[in-house]
Amino acid sequence: MENFKQQWTNFENELDQFETKHKEYVSKLEEVESMKKKYSQEFIKLRKKFTEIQKTAEKLETNKDQKISEIGEAISSDTDKSADQEDLNLISEKINEKLHYMRHASDTFPRPNGLYLKIILGGISVSILNNEEKLNYKEEYEKFKLRITMISLILSFLLIFARSYRTLDAAFNFLLVWYYCTLTIRESILVVNGSQIKGWWQAHHFITTVCTAILLIWPDSESYQLFRQQFIWFSFYLSIVQVLQYYYQQGCLYRLRALGEKQDMDTTIEGFQSWMTKGLSFLLPFLFFGYFWELYNSYALFKIAQMENCHEWQVMALCIIFLILFLGNFSTTFMVVRRKYSNRISDKIKRIKSTYIALKYLRSFSEKAKEKNL
């Protein structure tokens, strides 16, 4: 009993000491929350002002370019314009410096949830303010995608050679529904925390969730059996392409982050973006083949829907969804590739134009100097 009393006394003393530290901890938490709200509002106001300054600088830069193109008529006021030009260049450099800071500062404040997260989670904040925890969450997202894609690859391969058991097909389709539904939630959380998942590639997973859900509830009919094998082969091919994309995009992102051209929270996607042209252009044929397979799926489903004994609404619904997926994937990827290569051409044209303007200015300046000497 004496040992027990001594053990309790020691524990009570330790607990009393911890209670004091805990009060200090709670006090600091409340202080941090108060500062978070206060400085978050202040930063929002500063960000609005910074955006206005950026727009003003862009307008002045545009006006400057227009005046430079008419340099032959504007040489008379060279002194004032050169001073204004130096001021504009100096401010533009400072804006670029502050832009990096503004992006970094934005990641340290909580961001509002999007509509999708508000519907699912309510008003709970999903902002992760600790940089290490952000990176851990992003890495977990990447591992989750790879694990499920590998499982999907194996299952689709087995289903190709297995007999048509609707139960096994339903289990595979349920996995796809759960995977894409979970992916939409995780991606929305990543977007709140600074990931650049935008436009079509985010909407793509919402549409695919609907597609897999319709496949899950499609009854075991003649129309289902006609399309089943084609869809299993399509899933198998898609899993292979996604695994290839994962490994090559990860390597590319790592290199671009090291060069400072990409942010730490940028993720791999199931498509093609402009930063992938450096070493990943070889993936384009595989991607476009997959997109045209989606178009072929739509065509095959349309032909099935024309059959007299086809009465399932799922056939026409999937036909439309696969067509939407093809149009979205193909047009988005095509526009990215087109924009990337047109930017390269326009950069070359700009360099030629700037060289021509500089030579024109030097020529006109030398002619004026000769006239003054005469």
Side-chain angles (χ1 to χ4, degrees):
M1 189 63 186
E2 287 297 324
N3 289 336
F4 176 70
K5 284 175 67 179
Q6 186 63 37
Q7 186 179 0
W8 167 251
T9 304
N10 292 338
F11 171 75
E12 193 175 22
N13 291 334
E14 288 177 8
L15 188 60
D16 290 339
Q17 290 175 7
F18 178 77
E19 190 176 351
T20 306
K21 294 175 183 177
H22 181 254
K23 285 179 181 178
E24 183 184 358
Y25 165 73
V26 172
S27 174
K28 293 289 183 184
L29 275 181
E30 291 173 353
E31 185 181 349
V32 167
E33 285 298 318
S34 175
M35 290 172 66
K36 192 193 297 181
K37 290 177 182 177
K38 178 184 174 183
Y39 294 132
S40 179
Q41 292 171 354
E42 190 175 338
F43 178 75
I44 289 169
K45 292 177 183 177
L46 287 170
R47 188 168 56 188
K48 287 180 180 177
K49 290 180 181 178
F50 184 72
T51 304
E52 290 172 4
I53 290 170
Q54 278 183 304
K55 290 178 180 177
T56 306
E58 286 174 3
K59 287 179 182 178
L60 291 171
E61 196 73 31
T62 305
N63 293 337
K64 177 206 75 172
D65 291 339
Q66 290 173 354
K67 289 176 182 178
I68 286 176
S69 64
E70 301 167 357
I71 194 72
E73 302 170 6
I75 294 177
S76 57
S77 57
D78 261 350
T79 308
D80 294 337
K81 289 184 179 179
S82 62
D84 290 343
Q85 184 57 46
E86 286 179 7
D87 290 340
L88 181 59
N89 290 338
L90 183 63
I91 292 171
S92 295
E93 287 177 9
K94 288 182 178 178
I95 287 173
N96 290 331
E97 289 174 6
K98 295 299 180 183
L99 180 62
H100 178 71
Y101 166 75
M102 294 293 283
R103 285 174 178 168
H104 172 71
S106 179
D107 292 337
T108 61
F109 292 107
R111 299 182 184 183
N113 294 349
L115 177 63
Y116 181 60
L117 286 178
K118 283 180 182 177
I119 293 170
I120 294 174
L121 303 176
I124 298 172
S125 176
V126 293
S127 294
I128 306 171
L129 302 182
N130 183 281
N131 196 47
E132 186 179 349
E133 289 180 4
K134 275 186 182 182
L135 293 175
N136 288 339
Y137 185 80
K138 190 205 70 105
E139 289 300 321
E140 181 57 35
Y141 162 82
E142 298 286 6
K143 289 176 183 176
F144 169 77
K145 279 178 67 177
L146 181 63
R147 282 197 297 265
I148 303 301
T149 302
M150 293 299 292
I151 293 170
S152 174
L153 177 67
I154 295 167
L155 286 178
S156 56
F157 178 76
L158 293 174
L159 285 173
I160 289 170
F161 302 102
R163 288 180 61 188
S164 179
Y165 289 112
R166 189 67 181 89
T167 307
L168 294 177
D169 292 354
F172 176 67
N173 290 327
F174 179 79
L175 172 70
L176 295 179
V177 173
W178 171 78
Y179 168 62
Y180 284 110
C181 190
T182 307
L183 217 55
T184 57
I185 298 171
R186 291 193 179 213
E187 283 178 348
S188 298
I189 293 172
L190 284 168
V191 169
V192 170
N193 288 284
S195 289
Q196 301 297 312
I197 309 171
K198 295 181 181 179
W200 168 253
W201 302 121
Q202 194 174 3
H204 174 271
H205 286 152
F206 286 96
I207 298 170
T208 309
T209 304
V210 176
C211 179
T212 51
I214 293 173
L215 280 162
L216 178 63
I217 61 174
W218 191 353
D220 189 8
S221 57
E222 184 181 352
S223 60
Y224 174 81
Q225 292 300 329
L226 286 170
F227 185 69
R228 176 191 178 273
Q229 199 70 6
Q230 181 174 324
F231 176 73
I232 297 298
W233 273 107
F234 172 72
S235 299
F236 178 67
Y237 176 80
L238 202 62
S239 298
I240 292 173
V241 174
Q242 286 173 359
V243 171
L244 284 174
Q245 279 184 292
Y246 171 82
Y247 282 109
Y248 284 98
Q249 286 182 26
Q250 277 286 78
C252 193
L253 278 172
Y254 179 80
R255 179 168 58 84
L256 291 173
R257 285 192 201 108
L259 294 171
E261 296 180 25
K262 295 299 289 182
Q263 297 181 25
D264 289 335
M265 289 300 289
D266 286 334
T267 64
T268 60
I269 62 165
E270 293 175 16
F272 193 84
Q273 289 186 339
S274 56
W275 54 266
M276 298 180 195
T277 53
K278 298 179 180 179
L280 287 175
S281 298
F282 79 97
L283 279 174
L284 282 173
F286 296 98
L287 290 173
F288 279 116
F289 182 79
Y291 300 158
F292 280 105
W293 198 334
E294 287 172 339
L295 179 63
Y296 178 65
N297 286 343
S298 179
Y299 171 76
L301 287 162
F302 179 76
K303 296 299 286 183
I304 293 171
Q306 302 304 307
M307 295 169 55
E308 292 183 2
N309 56 346
C310 178
H311 306 291
E312 294 81 21
W313 61 268
Q314 289 90 347
V315 180
M316 205 61 197
L318 287 170
C319 170
I320 295 168
I321 289 174
F322 274 113
L323 181 61
I324 293 170
L325 288 172
F326 162 74
L327 293 173
N329 288 334
F330 180 82
S331 59
T332 305
T333 304
F334 179 77
M335 290 298 292
V336 169
V337 174
R338 182 175 173 272
R339 194 185 309 122
K340 185 66 179 178
Y341 286 103
S342 64
N343 285 344
R344 288 182 181 179
I345 294 168
S346 63
D347 287 343
K348 289 179 182 179
I349 293 170
K350 282 180 183 178
R351 283 197 293 268
I352 293 167
K353 279 185 177 179
S354 61
T355 306
Y356 171 75
I357 291 169
L359 290 171
K360 186 179 177 181
Y361 174 79
L362 288 172
R363 185 180 175 184
S364 60
F365 183 77
S366 62
E367 286 176 358
K368 289 224 174 223
K370 283 179 183 179
E371 288 176 4
K372 286 180 182 179
N373 291 333
L374 291 172

